[in-house]
Amino acid sequence: MHPLSRRIGDVLDLDPSGRAIEYNGHWHTWGQLAKMSRQIAKAVQPGAHVGILLRNTPAHVASLLGVLSAGGCVVVINPSRGDERIKADIAALDLPVIVGTSDDITQLAQPGECTTVVTIGDDSVQVRPGAPSVPGSVTVAVRMLTSGTTGPPKRVDLTYDMLAVSVIGTDFTAAPAPAAVSGSVAIVNAPLVHIGGVYRVLQCICEARPFVLLPRFELGSWAEAVRRYSPKAVSLVPAALRMVLHSELGPDDLAGVRAVTSGTAPLSAEDADAFTEKFGIPVLTSYAATEFGGGVAGWTLADHRRYWQSKRGSVGRATLGAELRVVSDDGTPLGPDQQGLLEVKPGQLGPDAQWVRTTDLARIDADGFVWILGRADQAIIRGGFKVLPDDVRAAVESHPAVLGAAVVGRPDERLGETPVAMVELREGETVTDAELTDYLRNRLAPYEIPSEIAIVKSIPRTPSGKADLTAVRQHFTGRER
């Protein structure tokens, strides 16, 4: 049995009558969670690929834990992609085991007689056995969907070792399980169909920490949970952090919170500073990717106290045993503060990891702090000038009326491409596209100013909270100009 599977089982047995997950105002116990997960585990052979239409509910958490306890591989299926695409995805996967609600099974999965079907309810599990399967290798824990910001989501294999390093630590083979359930309560608002949600749930389970599970980030329910349980740390993607920043919430609402962690998408130093000024709480940004199974760089509280003023805007330093470097296009390593492509040796891949080249432009200073400058594959070449969308987005979002922005390139017959921006305003604020353009003239070079700004009610986003750049691009290119 893998140490991650063992840790899950050990924690589930610590306090069967104790509080484990609060959902919609009701607490589910560790014993209830253990019972459901073990019923599901009985239907899973080690190494078997198990499709789960994952939602943020206790039953789906139990399903995730059950498959991992059995040494199976969770194949993540996003139940929000539209019925026809979900049906096609499931048919193409041809899974031996599938887990879902009764509606999922009857409307979306349409399993064959050979498929083992696990139907889950609020506190019930029903198994319809399929064809017997042969145990396989216990290597891949989760086939995780990427966020799909720039195209269709793809699946990335995350091994048991990768997840164990991320949620237990580099010494996961020897690290002892907690002796008792934690007295503090965490909040999980990231979706389980994204690596952030899986990471947060497994982290809470491996630390024996009860948690409030939110179906999605919603300001009111999130703030109520923070007020009720005063967690020492909370996690907010940049879009959610900006919602909190520009809300009516004040320092008393976040009393007890000592740090906010933020990742998945770029967060400007200005927003981080504004959050700290308003609430008195440092924002610890990080850098992660689904392919790495978690984070590879981030801020600690100690680093924030010592370095933030001189390193603001950085995503921090290497974490979890990762190594980072910047290289030129031909792969030549570059020195401190030189701009190039970021390469990573993720600690999650072990001591024999190879360098993985990302598509992110970055620089690393002499102290090891990393600045992400933008995506090389999203750079817009406007008449020979390079425009980084993140620079333009940050400038647009610095306007006091703007809640969020997304910037993409649009084909142009004369210039090749021009930047265009979709903008979401703060509640109750008004500003015109012409006013925004004038605002940007003193903040961007002329070639960086968007050729069109579309003000919309809400920016389309992926489950992880990132702007859905494919949908944004279609908004500008899928209609007559």
Side-chain angles (χ1 to χ4, degrees), residues 56 58 70 74 76 140 144 179 183 191 230 232 242 270 272 296 312 315 317 350 370 379 396 401 411 440 442 458 462:
N56 280 32
V74 174
V76 174
V140 177
M144 192 74 240
S230 297
K232 292 182 179 179
R242 288 177 62 83
E270 289 74 20
V296 294
R312 61 192 297 275
V315 294
R317 296 197 271 193
V370 183
V396 175
L440 295 174
N442 293 326
S458 62
T462 67

Side-chain angles (χ1 to χ4, degrees), residues 27-236:
W27 276 100
H28 298 251
T29 67
W30 292 100
Q32 290 172 315
L33 196 60
K35 180 180 178 181
M36 284 195 73
S37 68
R38 284 168 181 154
Q39 288 177 306
I40 292 163
K42 289 178 181 178
V44 178
Q45 289 279 11
H49 283 203
V50 181
I52 308 180
L53 291 100
L54 275 171
R55 296 181 174 86
N56 280 32
T57 76
H60 289 88
V61 171
S63 301
L64 171 71
L65 299 179
V67 175
L68 296 180
S69 296
C73 170
V74 174
V75 181
V76 174
I77 301 171
N78 185 349
S80 304
R81 293 193 67 224
D83 288 2
E84 295 307 313
R85 286 195 293 182
I86 296 169
K87 290 176 185 177
D89 192 22
I90 294 173
L93 288 167
D94 191 24
L95 298 158
V97 185
I98 192 158
V99 179
T101 65
S102 58
D103 285 345
D104 290 336
I105 301 302
T106 57
Q107 298 177 22
L108 301 175
Q110 301 175 335
E113 290 299 319
C114 293
T115 304
T116 295
V117 178
V118 181
T119 305
I120 55 174
D122 289 343
D123 54 5
S124 64
V125 176
Q126 295 180 344
V127 179
R128 190 202 76 186
S133 58
V134 178
S137 174
V138 181
T139 304
V140 177
V142 179
R143 296 197 69 202
M144 192 74 240
L145 284 169
T146 58
S147 58
T149 55
T150 59
K154 60 180 184 293
R155 287 186 173 85
V156 175
D157 287 350
L158 306 180
T159 68
Y160 275 85
D161 283 358
M162 291 169 69
L163 286 179
V165 169
S166 287
V167 302
I168 300 175
T170 53
D171 62 343
F172 67 86
T173 57
V181 171
S182 172
S184 63
V185 176
I187 300 172
V188 176
N189 48 263
L192 279 171
V193 295
H194 182 259
I195 181 61
V198 169
Y199 167 80
R200 288 288 290 161
V201 164
L202 290 180
Q203 184 184 48
C204 288
I205 296 298
C206 289
E207 294 176 352
R209 188 178 307 279
F211 60 94
V212 177
L213 180 65
L214 300 180
R216 65 190 65 81
F217 179 83
E218 190 277 319
L219 184 64
S221 56
W222 178 86
E224 176 57 31
V226 172
R227 283 190 290 263
R228 187 183 307 129
Y229 296 111
S230 297
K232 292 182 179 179
V234 293
S235 180
L236 294 169

